[in-house]
């Protein structure tokens, strides 16, 4: 897929979000919980190293869990969480992952689905990262807006 289509997909999704005047992680989370009609739990999982996998979205029958690795900074943590929210907003149903995650601490159910990044070149990953950049620009308008760096890593990690 072209970079142009990725940007258009993310921008269209961003425009459709009614997050109020002050956008933050909580307003995005509440919007998603309403849209998906299920609660979302956000948790840090110290066993995630963050070098190959920074975040996961785990869907259970009655709720969703966004899991993130220990962050390098609060901005990094927000970017990871917002990236996983972007997968939900874009309604990504299946993203290939090699993870065999049966249970997370505190959750006794078997997940219905686990979304995890397996490639930086994947269309869904690129669209989610670009949408995450757009959402971060709404959360932190003092940050420089998204560029053509579809992965977003240059802005966050320099």
């Amino acid at each position: 897929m072209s970079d142009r289509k990725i940007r258009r997909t993310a921008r269209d999704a961003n425009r459709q979000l009614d997050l109020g005047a002050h956008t933050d992680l909580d307003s995005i989370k509440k919007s998603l919980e309403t849209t998906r009609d299920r609660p979302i739990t956000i948790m840090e999982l110290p066993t995630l190293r963050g070098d190959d996998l920074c975040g996961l979205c785990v869907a259970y029958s009655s709720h969703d869990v966004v899991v993130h690795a220990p962050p390098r900074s609060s901005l990094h943590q927000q970017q990871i969480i917002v990236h996983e929210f972007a997968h939900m907003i874009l309604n990504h149903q299946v993203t290939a992952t090699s993870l065999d995650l049966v249970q997370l601490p505190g959750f006794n159910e078997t997940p219905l689905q686990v979304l995890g990044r397996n490639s930086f070149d994947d269309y869904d990953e690129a669209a989610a990262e670009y949408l995450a950049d757009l959402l971060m620009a709404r959360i932190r308008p003092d940050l420089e807006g998204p560029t053509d760096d579809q992965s977003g890593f240059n802005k966050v990690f320099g």
Side-chain angles (χ1 to χ4, degrees):
M1 293 287 166
S2 73
D3 289 350
R4 186 179 194 166
K5 184 172 181 180
I6 290 166
R7 289 190 300 273
R8 185 175 53 245
T9 297
R11 286 179 182 141
D12 288 349
N14 186 45
R15 279 199 258 336
Q16 292 175 11
L17 294 172
D18 182 14
L19 300 173
H22 179 70
T23 302
D24 58 15
L25 281 178
D26 194 51
S27 65
I28 299 169
K29 179 179 176 268
K30 286 178 182 175
S31 175
L32 278 166
E33 288 174 329
T34 299
T35 301
R36 295 170 68 84
D37 195 28
R38 53 199 293 137
I40 299 170
T41 302
I42 300 170
M43 65 179 284
E44 182 176 309
L45 190 60
T47 54
L48 284 179
R49 293 190 324 248
D51 53 358
D52 60 346
L53 183 65
C54 296
L56 301 168
C57 178
V58 184
Y60 291 94
S61 60
S62 61
H63 62 282
D64 296 319
V65 180
V66 170
V67 182
H68 64 85
R72 295 181 183 118
S73 67
S74 62
L75 184 60
H76 182 221
Q77 181 178 8
Q78 285 181 330
Q79 185 74 20
I80 295 168
I81 293 167
V82 171
H83 175 93
E84 299 308 322
F85 285 168
H87 278 300
M88 294 178 184
I89 292 165
L90 293 167
N91 202 28
H92 292 160
Q93 295 299 314
V94 177
T95 299
T97 180
S98 60
L99 297 173
D100 184 15
L101 187 64
V102 176
Q103 290 184 333
L104 289 172
F107 299 95
N108 296 325
E109 296 175 68
T110 299
L112 300 174
Q113 181 180 47
V114 178
L115 300 177
R117 174 179 291 157
N118 68 340
S119 168
F120 291 103
D121 297 327
D122 180 83
Y123 174 81
D124 285 351
E125 287 302 326
E129 193 64 25
Y130 194 76
L131 178 54
D133 286 350
L134 294 171
L135 292 170
M136 286 300 291
R138 290 172 78 168
I139 291 171
R140 301 275 314 263
D142 56 315
L143 293 176
E144 192 176 307
T147 65
D148 284 338
D149 173 25
Q150 71 186 24
S151 70
F153 286 101
N154 289 334
K155 180 179 73 177
V156 176
F157 303 110

